[in-house]
Amino acid sequence: EEQLVQSGGGLVQPGGSLTISCAASGFSLSHYWMSWVRQAPGKGLEWLGNIKADGSDKYYVESVRGRFTFSRDNAKNSLFLHMNSLRGEDTAVYFCAREFSTVSFISPWGQGTQVTVSS
Amino acid sequence: DIQMTQSPSTLSASVGDRVTITCRASQSISSWLAWYQQKPGEAPNLLISDASNLESGVPSRFRGSGSGTEFTLTINSLQPDDFATYYCQHYNNHPYTFGQGTQLEMK
């Protein structure tokens, strides 16, 4: 079964940093663009951006550009979301997800990781 | 950026009903549209890609249609498991954007 399993997240103070990991099983991450999506409490889905299969290209939406960084270790079949300068409005469940191809729909998704930014 | 507008935001229906959710794009996206179902506490699940392509394992009572700027998701003969929130998403270009969601609730 193709799966994405997330870890990391938690409670962090405003201005702090946090990293979420996303491990793939049942398929090789190295063949796919990967996306990050978040969902604030009681709100809809916000696509944050994506990273090319070989890590050579990344797209960030404006709300996280310059603060969040996507990286990947294809040898370890893993994806990472590094978050810096966190704000209260970054409080959300964060999902990693696989893109079918270049500029594509998203499936499967990780189970989600809660990030809470609060003092 | 392309804006996606779903309607209605909330939909009340009964088991056995047929319901339709609409998603409008602020500019043409050809057929580059996906529909997802999300249940509380779970990740979204892909139902339909390329506007009308039903994903493997998704019941045939789900149907997607449309192209350009107007799209619909129709669910025939609602089942108890279908009460959830539905999102559309375009992938015409970056950035991808989602509709605000339609919460399908039991009447």
Side-chain angles (χ1 to χ4, degrees), chain A residues 18-20 67-72 80-84:
Chain A
L18 207 58
T19 295
I20 296 171
R67 299 188 301 123
F68 289 12
T69 302
F70 308 142
S71 68
R72 60 196 298 159
F80 305 97
L81 171 60
H82 309 280
M83 300 177 286
N84 296 319

Side-chain angles (χ1 to χ4, degrees), chain B residues 7-21 75 78 82-84 86 102-107:
Chain B
S7 60
S9 296
T10 306
L11 184 54
S12 297
S14 301
V15 172
D17 285 354
R18 183 174 80 172
V19 298
T20 297
I21 299 168
I75 312 173
L78 272 173
D82 299 338
F83 292 95
Y86 293 85
T102 295
Q103 184 175 359
L104 177 56
E105 59 180 30
M106 201 173 294
K107 189 182 292 183

Side-chain angles (χ1 to χ4, degrees), chain A residues 33 35 37 39 43-47 50 59 61 95 99 103-107 109-110, chain B residues 34 36 38 41-44 46 49-50 55 87 89 91-96 98 100:
Chain A
W33 282 75
S35 272
V37 178
Q39 187 169 37
K43 302 296 184 183
L45 301 168
E46 179 187 15
W47 184 75
N50 59 7
Y59 184 94
V61 296
F95 297 97
E99 298 191 24
V103 188
S104 167
F105 55 88
I106 300 170
S107 182
W109 296 56
Chain B
Y36 302 87
Q38 187 181 31
E42 298 184 6
L46 178 68
S49 60
D50 297 347
E55 291 301 298
Y87 294 92
Q89 175 231 335
Y91 45 98
N92 184 72
N93 55 4
H94 291 154
Y96 306 157
F98 291 89
Q100 79 275 22

Side-chain angles (χ1 to χ4, degrees), chain B residues 57-85:
Chain B
V58 176
S60 58
R61 63 181 178 273
F62 290 89
R63 188 173 71 89
S65 64
S67 66
T69 62
E70 186 148 343
F71 302 85
T72 59
L73 172 68
T74 300
I75 312 173
N76 291 299
S77 188
L78 272 173
Q79 299 300 302
D81 191 49
D82 299 338
F83 292 95
T85 301

